[in-house]
Amino acid sequence: MKLAVVGAGAVGSSVVELAGEYGHTVTALADSRSAAVDADGIDPAAVLEHKRTEGVVGAEDKTAALEAEYDVLVEVTPTTLGDAEPGFGHVQTALERDRNVVLANKGPVAERYGELQDLAAASDGEIRFEATVGGAIPILSTITDFDAKHITAVRGVLNGTANFILSRMAAEGLGYEHVLAEAQDLGVAEADPSFDVEGTDAALKCVIIANVLAEGEREYTLDDATVEGIHELPASALELAKADDRTIRLIGEVSSETVRVSPRLVPADSALAVTGTRNIVQLETTHAGRLNISGRGAGGPETASAIFADIGRLGSR
Amino acid sequence: MSDSTDGVRAYTVRLELVDRPGELLRALEPIANQGGNLLSIFHERGNLTPRGHIPVEVDLEANTEQFDEIVSALREEGINVIQAGAERYSEEIVIILVGHLVDTDLSHTLSRLQEETGSTVRDFSLSAPEGDSGESSARLRLATQSGQVEDVLGTVRDVAGEKDLRVVEPLAGGEA
């Protein structure tokens, strides 16, 4: 298939690099200021090198990518809240052109789910967004495969940065600020870590899960979530948890029409007590008990893997 | 993934033992054999039941399945089980409070929690590395009535909120 990739960060770059391996051709790549377009396929190495040296992917205007020839628009621009722009506009343009859209950007799916579904319904194109939740882990597709009506609750660790901080604090007895600085040095945490440590990122993922579970009967946005983060949690809290064979994890929960993200006590040997940047999701099913799925919840190639899985699913409905 | 920690909760079992050597040990064996975790034993040697037996109260942790096995194993052993599980305090919740615990009158916080939640603080640990004036953490084990966990946690949140304390709650319904 022909892919137009909007967003040239870690995920977008990985999609461009790996597309050939999956049998796809990238016909356009856009970053926030420019675009590289070639109906026969852009040269991944050259374009990414151009981005590295010049700071932009190409000489054309960003809109050229949206107007280019493609089967699938891969929307991987940074997540924005509220009106979820410019991501939402990109998706709209593609669907109105009857093209398919695969997103890793959480904004449009968490904040404007209903509008997104309406646009998709009116289009010959499809919309898929497995990569918005849990990186490489197949969460949304598993919910769909099991049928949302047969999933009673979903809970899990959905933010690798927060989990890294908590597991380092517990393992080393170090303070929050110390571990946060370390995470920033390692590139695990952003310079402004608030999106991760305040629980917003995990909450957006839970809202997306809630939307998928609700199957259009109700629409959820970030405002429907109760969110408490891990910022400023003292080392003494983790110490006390440890002394009782427990630990603290930032847990997202979706059940009986509530969405909640908060630091919670879990047994130290619980499946939910994953360490480092790992993510895990537990699905409670009506006839098959509990299902645990874990893996890498973030990263360029990991998220790109989920995007290629979605591209592979297009047309299967 | 092991399911053995799923749904583990605290139970209180009241037993009647015949007054003869080795009887208590015999009563405890089924608990260990079924994988239960013995929390405490209250052996009222001075008291006698109307039938002249010695009442013993045993607190243990087990999952529902293990607990059922324990009670039937005790009965098979000919041990009289007076009451099992349907006790007043049959669920335990562990929470961690974070904030200026000492400054905000910790003992007042604890007594309010007991009064307003109708639960008992079974166990309490404080960690105040910055001394009395800094932020500290406390771990509380609350024994509460079965089915009341959500209400108790709601009340804990309210009381803690008034004192600007954070509550790290257990994960209900999950593996906690």
Side-chain angles (χ1 to χ4, degrees):
Chain A
M1 292 222 217
K2 291 181 175 174
L3 316 182
V5 181
V6 183
V11 177
S13 302
S14 289
V15 170
V16 170
E17 276 168 6
L18 300 174
E21 206 182 305
Y22 286 84
H24 305 302
T25 306
V26 179
T27 53
L29 172 66
D31 58 19
S32 55
R33 291 184 290 161
S34 72
V37 179
D38 186 335
D40 295 324
I42 58 167
D43 178 347
V47 169
L48 294 176
E49 181 57 25
H50 196 271
K51 170 87 177 163
R52 257 187 299 276
T53 53
E54 313 291 326
V56 290
V57 292
E60 298 193 53
D61 190 72
K62 192 183 98 171
T63 52
L66 294 168
E67 290 158 5
E69 192 184 318
Y70 59 84
D71 303 305
V72 186
L73 183 83
V74 178
E75 218 299 330
V76 289
T77 60
T79 295
T80 50
L81 305 181
D83 66 3
E85 293 292 1
F88 187 87
H90 299 156
V91 177
Q92 182 167 17
T93 304
L95 287 173
E96 283 172 355
R97 285 185 62 192
D98 289 327
R99 298 296 190 272
N100 301 297
V101 179
V102 171
L103 294 104
N105 174 1
K106 294 176 279 290
V109 196
E111 296 286 60
R112 301 175 72 177
Y113 189 80
E115 288 173 79
L116 215 55
Q117 293 299 337
D118 291 346
L119 284 171
S123 169
D124 285 340
E126 277 179 48
I127 173 170
R128 292 193 175 264
F129 42 88
E130 177 67 71
T132 58
V133 182
I137 313 170
I139 299 168
L140 303 179
S141 54
T142 306
I143 293 175
T144 311
D145 286 351
F146 267 72
D147 180 14
K149 287 183 187 64
H150 292 99
I151 306 285
T152 54
V154 178
R155 68 181 79 84
V157 170
L158 288 164
N159 185 275
T161 305
N163 203 66
F164 175 89
I165 292 172
L166 290 175
S167 48
R168 279 289 287 168
M169 284 175 74
E172 310 293 333
L174 297 167
Y176 173 83
E177 296 294 344
H178 182 117
V179 175
L180 174 60
E182 191 183 80
Q184 285 168 326
D185 287 345
L186 289 169
V188 170
E190 311 262 343
D192 175 5
S194 48
F195 202 60
D196 295 311
V197 300
E198 288 173 8
T200 315
D201 174 71
L204 288 169
K205 292 166 180 167
C206 288
V207 165
I208 293 171
I209 292 172
N211 277 323
V212 170
L213 285 176
E215 297 185 296
E217 281 171 25
R218 182 182 157 185
E219 184 182 344
Y220 293 84
T221 69
L222 190 56
D223 288 340
D224 297 304
T226 309
V227 188
E228 191 196 332
I230 60 153
H231 46 299
E232 310 294 333
L233 203 67
S236 57
L238 282 142
E239 242 170 69
L240 286 172
K242 195 176 181 179
D244 198 39
D245 293 327
R246 285 163 217 267
T247 191
I248 299 173
R249 286 292 180 268
L250 184 66
I251 303 285
E253 277 180 288
V254 183
S255 63
S256 53
E257 303 200 348
T258 62
V259 178
R260 179 179 177 193
V261 172
S262 56
R264 306 291 276 275
L265 278 166
V266 296
D269 62 358
S270 154
L272 289 171
V274 287
T275 55
T277 56
R278 241 180 138 68
N279 285 21
I280 180 164
V281 167
Q282 285 188 336
L283 307 180
E284 295 289 350
T285 67
T286 49
H287 304 303
R290 180 177 294 164
L291 209 61
N292 290 332
I293 332 174
S294 74
R296 295 191 191 171
E302 291 83 353
T303 307
S305 300
I307 288 171
F308 291 120
D310 261 355
I311 294 172
R313 289 180 191 110
L314 289 168
S316 66
R317 257 195 322 211
Chain B
M1 208 58 56
S2 160
D3 285 333
S4 63
T5 55
D6 288 9
V8 169
R9 55 163 90 157
Y11 293 94
T12 302
V13 185
R14 276 183 74 84
L15 308 171
E16 275 190 357
L17 298 184
V18 181
D19 190 7
R20 70 176 171 234
E23 196 66 3
L24 180 60
L25 191 60
R26 205 167 68 85
L28 299 180
E29 258 167 2
I31 298 170
N33 290 345
Q34 302 300 332
N37 178 28
L38 198 57
L39 296 174
S40 75
I41 308 162
F42 187 51
H43 195 188
E44 301 173 59
R45 275 207 72 86
N47 275 334
L48 287 184
T49 67
R51 277 179 283 192
H53 293 169
I54 301 166
V56 176
E57 205 172 276
V58 180
D59 287 338
L60 61 97
E61 271 180 343
N63 63 35
T64 326
E65 206 176 317
Q66 288 169 332
F67 183 69
D68 291 343
E69 299 275 352
I70 288 166
V71 172
S72 45
L74 285 167
R75 290 191 166 133
E76 273 168 34
E77 284 289 313
I79 293 158
N80 198 5
V81 182
I82 304 172
Q83 213 172 5
E87 213 60 19
R88 191 163 162 251
Y89 298 125
S90 57
E91 285 197 55
E92 270 200 335
I93 321 170
V94 175
I95 57 166
I96 289 181
L97 296 176
V98 178
H100 291 274
L101 292 165
V102 183
D103 281 355
T104 56
D105 194 348
L106 187 54
S107 61
H108 175 251
T109 307
L110 292 182
S111 49
R112 275 198 62 192
L113 284 179
Q114 296 214 100
E115 281 162 25
E116 293 177 31
T117 62
S119 55
T120 305
V121 176
R122 276 233 174 112
D123 178 57
F124 171 79
S125 285
L126 178 72
S127 175
E130 293 170 39
D132 290 356
S133 56
E135 269 214 324
S136 49
S137 304
R139 189 187 66 234
L140 275 72
R141 191 185 297 274
L142 296 171
T144 184
Q145 292 176 48
S146 141
Q148 305 273 298
V149 172
E150 277 312 307
D151 291 347
V152 169
L153 288 175
T155 310
V156 169
R157 276 195 291 269
D158 292 345
V159 172
E162 282 175 36
K163 297 198 173 198
D164 233 0
L165 304 174
R166 281 169 83 170
V167 187
V168 181
E169 295 175 29
L171 186 64
E175 303 213 11

